[in-house]
Amino acid sequence: MAPNTALAFLLFGVALLSLLRGLRGVRTTQIFTLAGLTFPLIASVGYLFDAQVFTTILSQTHMAIHTFVAFYLLGFAILAAQSNRGFMAVIFADNPAGFIARRIIAPSILAPILFGWIIFQGLNLEYYDAGFACSLIVLTSIIVLCIVTARSIVELNRIERERHRLTNARNLADVRERGALEASRLKSEFVA
């Protein structure tokens, strides 16, 4: 068994044990699960970019493709088991912080991997040199992150405008209600 596979098994095992502790073990579960997910992420990047050092750690044994896929599934299942508590509650929260987290995390991980792989293929086909390839990876990552950030800012501004509109409507409704109550009181006094 590859050392990275063994470490991932160990981290997921500790995560599952702490999951049994209930509410007290939620953060521990999520920390160990995220730590365990780093090994399949490193291995998958190693396979995509033909970097053998990432698929093996201190040995000649590779983490198999089906193994890191299984680790992804296991890790995401463990995180989903307590998605309403701990760090995951922030990501799945129905508020601006959760919105931003959901908007930024996936592109921040996937865009560099996707563009990096595409650019790596061009480098292998000798369309350009290593310096140009690195520059393309950096530029595409910057562009994607700027686009995602700008979209998030626009959406947050829309949410803020809507919140102000609702606050103003609520204040106006309160003023109208107080006026209606005062008119009703004056009518009752007049009739009496």
Side-chain angles (χ1 to χ4, degrees), residues 62-85:
H62 299 274
M63 179 185 282
I65 294 173
H66 63 277
T67 304
F68 70 73
V69 169
F71 279 144
Y72 281 134
L73 294 174
L74 176 62
F76 293 134
I78 293 170
L79 291 174
Q82 300 265 334
S83 62
N84 58 344
R85 296 186 183 123

Side-chain angles (χ1 to χ4, degrees), residues 1-7 39 42 51-63:
M1 176 182 302
N4 50 1
T5 303
L7 286 171
F39 290 103
I42 291 169
Q52 299 300 316
V53 69
F54 289 155
T55 60
T56 62
I57 296 177
L58 304 173
S59 82
Q60 296 300 316
T61 308
H62 299 274
M63 179 185 282

Side-chain angles (χ1 to χ4, degrees), residues 136-175:
L136 279 177
I137 292 170
V138 169
L139 289 173
T140 54
S141 297
I142 289 170
I143 290 168
V144 167
L145 292 177
C146 286
I147 289 170
V148 168
T149 304
R151 285 185 58 214
S152 298
I153 290 168
V154 167
E155 189 63 24
L156 281 176
N157 285 336
R158 186 195 63 77
I159 290 169
E160 187 64 22
R161 283 192 308 273
E162 183 68 17
R163 188 182 69 77
H164 279 296
R165 188 189 66 76
L166 290 174
T167 300
N168 291 339
R170 185 179 309 125
N171 290 342
L172 185 59
D174 288 345
V175 168

Side-chain angles (χ1 to χ4, degrees), residues 181-191:
L181 290 173
E182 183 64 22
S184 176
R185 185 187 65 76
L186 290 173
K187 180 181 171 187
S188 296
E189 286 178 3
F190 177 75
V191 170

Side-chain angles (χ1 to χ4, degrees), residues 9-36 75 78-79 81-82 85 87:
F9 269 124
L10 177 66
L11 291 168
F12 285 129
V14 172
L16 288 170
L17 285 174
S18 63
L19 184 62
L20 297 175
R21 293 182 59 200
L23 184 58
R24 293 183 60 208
V26 172
R27 288 187 191 265
T28 306
T29 299
Q30 293 172 354
I31 288 169
F32 277 98
T33 302
L34 292 171
I78 293 170
L79 291 174
Q82 300 265 334
R85 296 186 183 123
F87 305 124

